[in-house]
Amino acid sequence: MANLNNIIIQIIGGAGASLIIFFSTLIISLPLGLLITFPRMSKFKPLSAFFVFIISLLRGTPLMLQLIVWYYGPYYLFGWTLGLSWRVPAIIIGFSINYAAYFAEIFRSGIQSIPIGQYEAASVLGYNKSQTFCKIIFPQMVKRVIPPVTNEIITLVKDTSLAFVITYSEMFTVAKQIAAAKTTIIPLFVAGLFYYVFNYIVAFVMDKVEKSFNYYR
Amino acid sequence: MSVFEIKNCKKSFNDIKVLDDISFKVDEGEVVSIIGSSGSGKTTLLRICTFLEFMDDGTLTYLDDSIVKSIDGKASYIGQKDLSLDALNKNKDLTRIKGYFGLVFQNFNLFPHWTVLKNVTDAPIYVQKRDKNEVIEKAFIYLKKMGLESKAYCYPCELSGGQQQRVAIARALCLEPKIIYFDEPTSALDPELTSEILKVIKELASEKRTMVIVTHEMSFARDVADRVIFMDNGVIVEEGNAYDLITNPKKDRTKKFLMKYDG
Ligand SMILES: Nc1ncnc2c1ncn2[C@@H]1O[C@H](COP(=O)(O)OP(=O)(O)O)[C@@H](O)[C@H]1O
Ligand SMILES: [Mg+2]
């Protein structure tokens, strides 16, 4: 049993690293996603086309590959040796930019699902463009995007395990190492349980958030 | 004095003429009803009057403000080179002019995430920058007039269609516009709810509010409007005293149209 405790303690250490990736990614990618929604929806074609391309690139290639590029890219492209201190920033940048691309598409479809009549009513009442967005469109968009954003967040929990490709000791990597060293599969079960509980909490919280918007239809 | 005047307005969508040489004006305190079969250009005309759409050529004036001039056969909007709605919403002159009118839509277009009270008071406070307490006091007066005092803190989804449309009317009134446009305000409603909206508009007419009402309710137009404009295929076919035009139309096209509404 002491053995199991030991395993759990080590995995909790790895879980901390996973949580760092998770929260950093959320805090950066949600606003970043909103930020790139605007040029993505720009009426200036070259600008929107550029962002369409960037977003398709980010969504169309494996996150694992993108993490490798962010981590080793500076060395291969510019000859910079950033060392291990670059590992956490590379992971957070890679995750945040990748998830921002997904969130941007979710936000875009959310914004486009708002009836044109809302814009027309706002225009006739004299609201300017930023008032219309901030007061009328954005709040309604948030309500509409909660379900797809929840799906992405749940995927993110599981995706944190991808950080292993650049040998970052998040939870899954730790579990795998112990499993290999001690020739037992228990650590992997424990890690799986952690992911499950984590996502259970995410689903619970997002359900509360969704319900908090139920005061209107 | 006329509150609103449009002259020689032309509008095409993809080379299809939708409005051809429309001219009319509305005097203060006058109620004008626009009738005509669907597709005749009534909505497009109201959208041009409220800057939701641009005209191709013509002139448009609110009170002393000339907003659109005709230059070399093309409509020229004040302070506006780029004819897009985005650019329009940045145009300070037009924003000021927007205070002159209100528009009541067929499908209400209330803001669903706001209470009734916020729907009615937000634009006067944050667009017109009026005093908050004064606006709220006004809002309650108008809500009371609409029989919705008790619904001030409800959300639109909690109201019937007729109630929602009355909120939309209160929202327009609270901006203290010089003229209110209605685009088929009862078309989305059951007959029962229709009469409650018509009653409210009738009351506004009796207070000498300046209004332009697009409607398919002929007896309402006959009884409430001062003047009726009959449109067909993008042109004004006949225009005149409401009672005379509807009970005794001169033009064949008008007769044919009104026949459909008889008995
Ligand atoms: N945005 C648009 N693009 C193309 N055609 C339009 C547009 N808006 C209206 N039309 C056309 O203009 C004509 C007049 O429409 P509308 O003004 O809605 O008429 P009404 O309100 O009298 O029914 C119709 O033939 C309609 O199809
Ligand atoms: Mg219409």
Short mmCIF file of all heavy atoms in Angstrom, two decimals, chain A residues 167-196:
data_model
loop_
_atom_site.label_atom_id
_atom_site.label_comp_id
_atom_site.label_asym_id
_atom_site.label_seq_id
_atom_site.Cartn_x
_atom_site.Cartn_y
_atom_site.Cartn_z
N THR A 167 9.10 15.85 -23.66
CA THR A 167 9.60 15.30 -22.39
C THR A 167 9.30 16.19 -21.20
O THR A 167 10.11 16.34 -20.30
CB THR A 167 11.13 15.01 -22.44
OG1 THR A 167 11.83 16.25 -22.58
CG2 THR A 167 11.48 14.06 -23.56
N TYR A 168 8.12 16.80 -21.21
CA TYR A 168 7.71 17.56 -20.05
C TYR A 168 6.99 16.60 -19.11
O TYR A 168 6.16 15.81 -19.54
CB TYR A 168 6.77 18.69 -20.48
CG TYR A 168 6.32 19.57 -19.34
CD1 TYR A 168 7.25 20.24 -18.54
CD2 TYR A 168 4.97 19.76 -19.07
CE1 TYR A 168 6.84 21.07 -17.51
CE2 TYR A 168 4.54 20.59 -18.05
CZ TYR A 168 5.49 21.24 -17.27
OH TYR A 168 5.08 22.05 -16.25
N SER A 169 7.31 16.67 -17.81
CA SER A 169 6.77 15.68 -16.88
C SER A 169 5.38 16.04 -16.38
O SER A 169 5.20 16.36 -15.21
CB SER A 169 7.71 15.51 -15.69
OG SER A 169 8.96 15.07 -16.15
N GLU A 170 4.43 16.06 -17.29
CA GLU A 170 3.06 16.21 -16.82
C GLU A 170 2.57 14.83 -16.36
O GLU A 170 3.30 13.84 -16.43
CB GLU A 170 2.15 16.86 -17.86
CG GLU A 170 2.30 16.42 -19.29
CD GLU A 170 2.10 14.96 -19.49
OE1 GLU A 170 1.02 14.48 -19.13
OE2 GLU A 170 3.02 14.30 -20.01
N MET A 171 1.32 14.79 -15.96
CA MET A 171 0.81 13.62 -15.27
C MET A 171 0.97 12.31 -16.05
O MET A 171 1.43 11.30 -15.51
CB MET A 171 -0.67 13.85 -14.95
CG MET A 171 -1.33 12.72 -14.20
SD MET A 171 -2.85 13.27 -13.42
CE MET A 171 -3.80 13.82 -14.81
N PHE A 172 0.64 12.35 -17.33
CA PHE A 172 0.69 11.12 -18.12
C PHE A 172 2.13 10.61 -18.26
O PHE A 172 2.39 9.41 -18.13
CB PHE A 172 0.07 11.38 -19.50
CG PHE A 172 0.10 10.17 -20.40
CD1 PHE A 172 -0.65 9.04 -20.08
CD2 PHE A 172 0.88 10.16 -21.54
CE1 PHE A 172 -0.62 7.93 -20.90
CE2 PHE A 172 0.91 9.05 -22.37
CZ PHE A 172 0.17 7.93 -22.05
N THR A 173 3.07 11.52 -18.48
CA THR A 173 4.47 11.14 -18.61
C THR A 173 4.97 10.49 -17.32
O THR A 173 5.64 9.44 -17.34
CB THR A 173 5.33 12.38 -18.92
OG1 THR A 173 4.76 13.06 -20.02
CG2 THR A 173 6.76 11.99 -19.26
N VAL A 174 4.62 11.11 -16.20
CA VAL A 174 5.04 10.57 -14.89
C VAL A 174 4.48 9.16 -14.72
O VAL A 174 5.21 8.22 -14.36
CB VAL A 174 4.55 11.49 -13.75
CG1 VAL A 174 4.79 10.85 -12.39
CG2 VAL A 174 5.23 12.84 -13.83
N ALA A 175 3.20 9.01 -15.01
CA ALA A 175 2.55 7.70 -14.83
C ALA A 175 3.23 6.65 -15.70
O ALA A 175 3.48 5.52 -15.26
CB ALA A 175 1.07 7.81 -15.18
N LYS A 176 3.55 7.06 -16.92
CA LYS A 176 4.18 6.12 -17.85
C LYS A 176 5.56 5.70 -17.33
O LYS A 176 5.94 4.52 -17.40
CB LYS A 176 4.33 6.80 -19.21
CG LYS A 176 4.07 5.86 -20.38
CD LYS A 176 4.06 6.62 -21.69
CE LYS A 176 5.28 7.52 -21.76
NZ LYS A 176 5.54 8.12 -23.04
N GLN A 177 6.30 6.67 -16.80
CA GLN A 177 7.63 6.37 -16.28
C GLN A 177 7.57 5.39 -15.11
O GLN A 177 8.32 4.42 -15.06
CB GLN A 177 8.34 7.66 -15.85
CG GLN A 177 8.87 8.46 -17.03
CD GLN A 177 9.15 9.91 -16.65
OE1 GLN A 177 8.87 10.33 -15.52
NE2 GLN A 177 9.70 10.66 -17.59
N ILE A 178 6.64 5.67 -14.18
CA ILE A 178 6.54 4.76 -13.03
C ILE A 178 6.12 3.38 -13.52
O ILE A 178 6.68 2.36 -13.09
CB ILE A 178 5.49 5.25 -12.00
CG1 ILE A 178 5.73 6.71 -11.63
CG2 ILE A 178 5.53 4.39 -10.75
CD1 ILE A 178 4.61 7.31 -10.80
N ALA A 179 5.17 3.35 -14.44
CA ALA A 179 4.68 2.08 -14.94
C ALA A 179 5.83 1.27 -15.55
O ALA A 179 5.95 0.06 -15.33
CB ALA A 179 3.59 2.31 -15.98
N ALA A 180 6.67 1.95 -16.30
CA ALA A 180 7.79 1.26 -16.94
C ALA A 180 8.80 0.78 -15.90
O ALA A 180 9.29 -0.36 -15.95
CB ALA A 180 8.46 2.18 -17.95
N ALA A 181 9.09 1.63 -14.91
CA ALA A 181 10.11 1.31 -13.90
C ALA A 181 9.65 0.16 -13.01
O ALA A 181 10.42 -0.72 -12.65
CB ALA A 181 10.43 2.55 -13.07
N LYS A 182 8.37 0.21 -12.64
CA LYS A 182 7.89 -0.77 -11.66
C LYS A 182 7.14 -1.92 -12.31
O LYS A 182 6.56 -2.75 -11.61
CB LYS A 182 6.96 -0.06 -10.66
CG LYS A 182 7.61 1.16 -10.01
CD LYS A 182 7.46 1.15 -8.51
CE LYS A 182 8.47 2.07 -7.86
NZ LYS A 182 7.92 3.28 -7.31
N THR A 183 7.14 -1.93 -13.64
CA THR A 183 6.40 -2.94 -14.40
C THR A 183 5.01 -3.23 -13.80
O THR A 183 4.67 -4.35 -13.46
CB THR A 183 7.18 -4.27 -14.52
OG1 THR A 183 7.45 -4.76 -13.21
CG2 THR A 183 8.44 -4.08 -15.32
N THR A 184 4.25 -2.17 -13.67
CA THR A 184 2.86 -2.32 -13.24
C THR A 184 2.01 -1.33 -14.02
O THR A 184 2.49 -0.27 -14.45
CB THR A 184 2.69 -2.05 -11.73
OG1 THR A 184 1.31 -1.77 -11.49
CG2 THR A 184 3.53 -0.89 -11.26
N ILE A 185 0.76 -1.67 -14.21
CA ILE A 185 -0.13 -0.80 -15.00
C ILE A 185 -0.92 0.14 -14.10
O ILE A 185 -1.57 1.07 -14.57
CB ILE A 185 -1.06 -1.70 -15.86
CG1 ILE A 185 -1.60 -0.89 -17.06
CG2 ILE A 185 -2.16 -2.30 -15.03
CD1 ILE A 185 -2.12 -1.77 -18.16
N ILE A 186 -0.81 -0.07 -12.78
CA ILE A 186 -1.58 0.73 -11.83
C ILE A 186 -1.39 2.24 -12.01
O ILE A 186 -2.38 2.99 -12.03
CB ILE A 186 -1.28 0.30 -10.37
CG1 ILE A 186 -1.89 -1.09 -10.17
CG2 ILE A 186 -1.87 1.28 -9.37
CD1 ILE A 186 -1.58 -1.70 -8.83
N PRO A 187 -0.18 2.73 -12.19
CA PRO A 187 -0.02 4.18 -12.34
C PRO A 187 -0.84 4.74 -13.49
O PRO A 187 -1.39 5.85 -13.40
CB PRO A 187 1.47 4.35 -12.63
CG PRO A 187 2.11 3.12 -12.12
CD PRO A 187 1.10 2.02 -12.22
N LEU A 188 -0.96 3.97 -14.55
CA LEU A 188 -1.74 4.46 -15.69
C LEU A 188 -3.22 4.53 -15.34
O LEU A 188 -3.92 5.45 -15.73
CB LEU A 188 -1.51 3.57 -16.91
CG LEU A 188 -0.08 3.63 -17.45
CD1 LEU A 188 0.12 2.64 -18.59
CD2 LEU A 188 0.27 5.05 -17.93
N PHE A 189 -3.69 3.57 -14.55
CA PHE A 189 -5.08 3.61 -14.08
C PHE A 189 -5.30 4.84 -13.21
O PHE A 189 -6.30 5.53 -13.33
CB PHE A 189 -5.42 2.35 -13.28
CG PHE A 189 -5.84 1.20 -14.16
CD1 PHE A 189 -5.18 -0.03 -14.08
CD2 PHE A 189 -6.88 1.34 -15.08
CE1 PHE A 189 -5.55 -1.08 -14.89
CE2 PHE A 189 -7.26 0.29 -15.89
CZ PHE A 189 -6.60 -0.93 -15.80
N VAL A 190 -4.33 5.05 -12.32
CA VAL A 190 -4.47 6.20 -11.41
C VAL A 190 -4.52 7.50 -12.22
O VAL A 190 -5.38 8.37 -12.00
CB VAL A 190 -3.31 6.24 -10.40
CG1 VAL A 190 -3.39 7.52 -9.55
CG2 VAL A 190 -3.34 5.01 -9.51
N ALA A 191 -3.63 7.60 -13.21
CA ALA A 191 -3.61 8.81 -14.06
C ALA A 191 -4.96 8.95 -14.78
O ALA A 191 -5.54 10.05 -14.84
CB ALA A 191 -2.48 8.75 -15.06
N GLY A 192 -5.46 7.84 -15.30
CA GLY A 192 -6.75 7.87 -16.00
C GLY A 192 -7.85 8.38 -15.09
O GLY A 192 -8.67 9.21 -15.50
N LEU A 193 -7.83 7.91 -13.83
CA LEU A 193 -8.83 8.34 -12.87
C LEU A 193 -8.74 9.86 -12.64
O LEU A 193 -9.74 10.56 -12.57
CB LEU A 193 -8.61 7.58 -11.55
CG LEU A 193 -9.70 7.76 -10.51
CD1 LEU A 193 -11.00 7.10 -10.97
CD2 LEU A 193 -9.27 7.16 -9.17
N PHE A 194 -7.50 10.33 -12.55
CA PHE A 194 -7.30 11.77 -12.36
C PHE A 194 -7.91 12.58 -13.51
O PHE A 194 -8.61 13.56 -13.28
CB PHE A 194 -5.80 12.09 -12.26
CG PHE A 194 -5.29 12.12 -10.86
CD1 PHE A 194 -5.12 10.94 -10.14
CD2 PHE A 194 -4.98 13.33 -10.23
CE1 PHE A 194 -4.64 10.96 -8.84
CE2 PHE A 194 -4.51 13.35 -8.93
CZ PHE A 194 -4.33 12.18 -8.24
N TYR A 195 -7.63 12.16 -14.74
CA TYR A 195 -8.20 12.86 -15.90
C TYR A 195 -9.72 12.86 -15.83
O TYR A 195 -10.40 13.86 -16.08
CB TYR A 195 -7.77 12.20 -17.22
CG TYR A 195 -6.34 12.49 -17.61
CD1 TYR A 195 -5.39 11.46 -17.68
CD2 TYR A 195 -5.93 13.78 -17.93
CE1 TYR A 195 -4.08 11.73 -18.04
CE2 TYR A 195 -4.62 14.04 -18.29
CZ TYR A 195 -3.70 13.02 -18.35
OH TYR A 195 -2.41 13.29 -18.70
N TYR A 196 -10.26 11.70 -15.44
CA TYR A 196 -11.70 11.55 -15.40
C TYR A 196 -12.31 12.50 -14.37
O TYR A 196 -13.28 13.23 -14.66
CB TYR A 196 -12.08 10.10 -15.10
CG TYR A 196 -13.57 9.91 -15.05
CD1 TYR A 196 -14.31 9.90 -16.23
CD2 TYR A 196 -14.23 9.75 -13.83
CE1 TYR A 196 -15.67 9.75 -16.20
CE2 TYR A 196 -15.61 9.61 -13.80
CZ TYR A 196 -16.33 9.61 -14.99
OH TYR A 196 -17.67 9.46 -14.95
#
